[in-house]
Amino acid sequence: MVPSPSPSPSLSAPRPSRAGTALEVEEYFAPQRTPSQALPDPEPLLANLTIGVLEVLAGVREADQLARWLGEDAFRALVTRSNLSARARSARGVAPARPSYRIVSTHVSSPADGVVEGVVITAGPARTRAVAVRLEGWDGRWRATSLAAL
């Protein structure tokens, strides 16, 4: 008879766990706040996001194209407003047309570290509009958490 091999000590001994608790894992993979000094200048994003929002409302751009720069609540609000604008254009029988807005001024303030609130004033052929945007630093980039087009 052949003697049976003894079990290896590494298989029988309990291994130390490398994984943390579920809460630690969730916090590790959750979006992380980023301080202002680690973020780029917010003014170009404010200007480009404003033009993008006005194009979405005019019906010539999909809201999904701006999703990367928008928080969940801001994205939902933009989609809702875009749908209302599309229904209003449809009821009037107006085709979507690319707006020709130019940026008149940008006003930026920082109420807290990693947070920027800005108002971008735009002028078009028929009207002047203001778009208020709150940007927060998440995962090393700016994200708009709130939008209001007036």
Side-chain angles (χ1 to χ4, degrees), residues 48-130:
N48 291 328
L49 195 57
T50 296
I51 297 300
V53 165
L54 294 175
E55 289 176 350
V56 167
L57 296 178
V60 296
R61 179 184 292 268
E62 292 293 324
D64 293 341
Q65 293 177 352
L66 303 179
R68 177 179 181 202
W69 296 282
L70 300 176
E72 190 175 328
D73 293 339
F75 179 74
R76 278 196 205 128
L78 181 61
V79 168
T80 301
R81 181 110 182 245
S82 171
N83 290 339
L84 290 172
S85 295
R87 287 175 52 192
R89 277 191 309 278
S90 176
R92 291 189 318 251
V94 177
R98 183 165 304 279
S100 60
Y101 286 102
R102 66 178 175 82
I103 295 177
V104 175
S105 65
T106 303
H107 305 277
V108 180
S109 66
S110 181
D113 187 38
V115 177
V116 168
E117 293 176 346
V119 177
V120 180
I121 310 295
T122 61
R127 65 192 273 189
T128 299
R129 298 190 76 158

Side-chain angles (χ1 to χ4, degrees), residues 1-7:
M1 275 181 85
V2 177
S4 65
S6 64

